[in-house]
């Protein structure tokens, strides 16, 4: 039975890995949200929250129907009907890599670039490294991981990376970033970012469950941040995500559940609860929780909205704000373009831009994909053709590799013997091997001069060319 006293609820949240804290009139509603969360998630997983009837649900409280929504996007009603007939046979299945999807539902960005998009607010990790306060360290670091959810509310799907595809980013906050598609079946990506304050390492493998007009996405991944000044290691477990009205109605995304960020060095942790969206948008975007010490005592409460701002306030051991303290801001979403075609932030546009690309861009880089480039220009026909062509080349490369008895080996990451458990299954862990750092340093110190309009052809398979550099 859920506790009715908010202080008791805070104690439960600290002592149980599956307990949750909630917002919306923070202290008044924490207990009711705790008791409602289990039933809400159960209904979600079993597909009882609006997939079969193709009901149009607008989380903002409006009454837009599918026809009105189609006018805003690229869907035509006949496209929706045809796509729905195709997808029905996959209900209940993991559709991560088993379905060929039309470019009409894509945005001109790949999953590797989505991984890099988290780095927009990397200054928060710099602040986490610089602070002497172990609990503020977790406030800044958890705010960093919340910040990407603003970008995740975009409803277009990123392109699945081709095996061997990469994305590189340099000179953002003194940081370099490299990601690589390390496996095709199952689809897996690895990423590494580093500057003078931190190293960031992620192995990502998404698991999905199609529920008809919605899909549940489970982040089977491992994310680790090492803060260089203190040496502490932080481990993240994010909540699952649900894409609602996938085909019919206004598509919207929610991530109900817990985010847990643990200091592996000290045992301190943050437990933040993403409140599920209720009818007419009640509770959507709200995030609440606590920073706990190693003895599971609350030290700092956190509250806010993942699409707007996060705040924090020092609290006592009962979870109540300390007298004389005030709610302070830890993160706020940056200014965004008005009525952007792809709902991109300014940072997202930089991720696609060749103006911000490093010198002598890798031929395997996502920016160079012809299907992505065509979609960015609004040419859906060419984008679809190029997407199919790339997928066929990938299949041909696999047949050729298997005929020769060769095994694909990622260039920038090594498969370790470590298998880490996650709430949604075990995960093989890839580790950054340091080669990209040396590769980029050699190019940056060379006298190589980029010729105008000398864009490299996208080719993630030509490792012999890279080795010859």
């Amino acid at each position: 039975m859920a506790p009715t006293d908010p202080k008791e609820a805070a104690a439960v949240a600290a002592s149980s890995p599956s307990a949750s804290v909630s917002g919306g009139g923070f202290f008044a509603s924490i207990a009711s949200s705790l008791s409602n969360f289990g039933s809400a998630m159960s209904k979600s997983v079993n597909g009882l929250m609006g997939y079969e009837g193709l009901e149009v649900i607008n989380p903002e409280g409006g009454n837009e129907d599918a026809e009105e929504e189609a006018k805003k996007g690229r869907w035509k009603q006949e496209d929706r009907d045809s796509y729905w007939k195709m997808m029905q046979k996959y209900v209940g299945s993991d559709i991560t890599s088993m379905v060929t999807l039309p470019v009409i539902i894509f945005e001109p960005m790949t999953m590797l670039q989505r991984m890099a998009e988290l780095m927009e607010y990397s200054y928060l990790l710099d602040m986490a490294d610089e602070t002497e306060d172990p609990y503020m360290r977790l406030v800044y670091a958890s705010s960093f991981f919340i910040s990407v959810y603003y970008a995740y509310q975009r409803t277009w799907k990123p392109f699945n990376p081709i095996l061997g595809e990469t994305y590189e980013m340099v000179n953002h906050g003194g940081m370099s970033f490299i990601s690589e598609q390390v496996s095709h079946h199952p689809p897996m990506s690895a990423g590494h970012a580093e500057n003078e304050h931190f190293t960031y390492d992620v192995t990502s493998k998404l698991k999905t469950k199609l529920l008809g007009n919605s899909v549940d996405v489970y982040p089977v991944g491992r994310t680790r941040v090492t803060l260089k000044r203190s040496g502490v290691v932080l481990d993240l477990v994010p909540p699952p995500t649900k894409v609602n009205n996938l085909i019919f109605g206004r598509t919207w995304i929610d991530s109900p559940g817990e985010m847990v960020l643990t200091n592996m060095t000290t045992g301190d942790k943050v437990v933040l609860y993403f409140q599920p969206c209720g009818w007419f948008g009640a509770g959507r975007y709200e995030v609440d929780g606590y920073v706990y010490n190693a003895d599971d005592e609350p030290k700092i409460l956190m509250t806010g909205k993942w699409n707007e701002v996060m705040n924090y306030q020092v609290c006592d051991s009962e979870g109540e704000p300390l007298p004389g303290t005030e709610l302070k801001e830890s993160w706020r979403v940056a200014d965004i373009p008005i009525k952007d075609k792809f709902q991109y932030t300014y940072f997202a546009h930089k991720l696609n831009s060749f103006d911000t690309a490093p010198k002598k861009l890798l031929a395997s880089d996502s920016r160079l994909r012809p299907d992505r480039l065509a979609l960015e220009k609004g040419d859906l026909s060419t984008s679809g053709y190029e997407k199919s062509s790339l997928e066929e080349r990938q299949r041909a490369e696999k047949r050729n590799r298997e005929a020769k008895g060769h095994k694909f080996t990622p260039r920038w990451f090594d498969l370790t013997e470590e298998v880490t458990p996650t709430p949604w299954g075990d995960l093989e862990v890839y580790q950054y091997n340091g080669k990209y750092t040396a590769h980029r340093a050699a190019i940056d110190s060379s006298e190589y001069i980029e010729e105008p309009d000398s864009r490299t052809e996208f080719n993630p398979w030509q490792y012999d060319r890279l080795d010859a550099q």
Side-chain angles (χ1 to χ4, degrees), residues 119 168-178 192-195 198 200 432 436-437 440:
M119 294 295 130
E168 52 181 328
M169 177 175 64
V170 297
N171 299 325
H172 172 68
M175 177 196 68
S176 65
F177 174 92
I178 181 69
H192 174 82
E194 184 169 0
N195 68 5
F198 68 87
Y200 164 91
Y432 176 62
Y436 176 77
T437 302
R440 179 49 52 195

Side-chain angles (χ1 to χ4, degrees), residues 36 44 116 180 205 217 329 331 348 379 426:
N36 291 337
S44 173
E180 182 176 15
K205 179 175 71 174
V217 182
E329 187 176 293
W331 164 80
D379 188 345
D426 292 341

Side-chain angles (χ1 to χ4, degrees), residues 137-152:
R137 186 176 295 145
L138 288 173
V139 168
Y140 293 134
S142 59
S143 296
F144 164 78
F145 284 112
I146 287 173
S147 69
V148 77
Y149 282 86
Y150 180 87
Y152 283 177

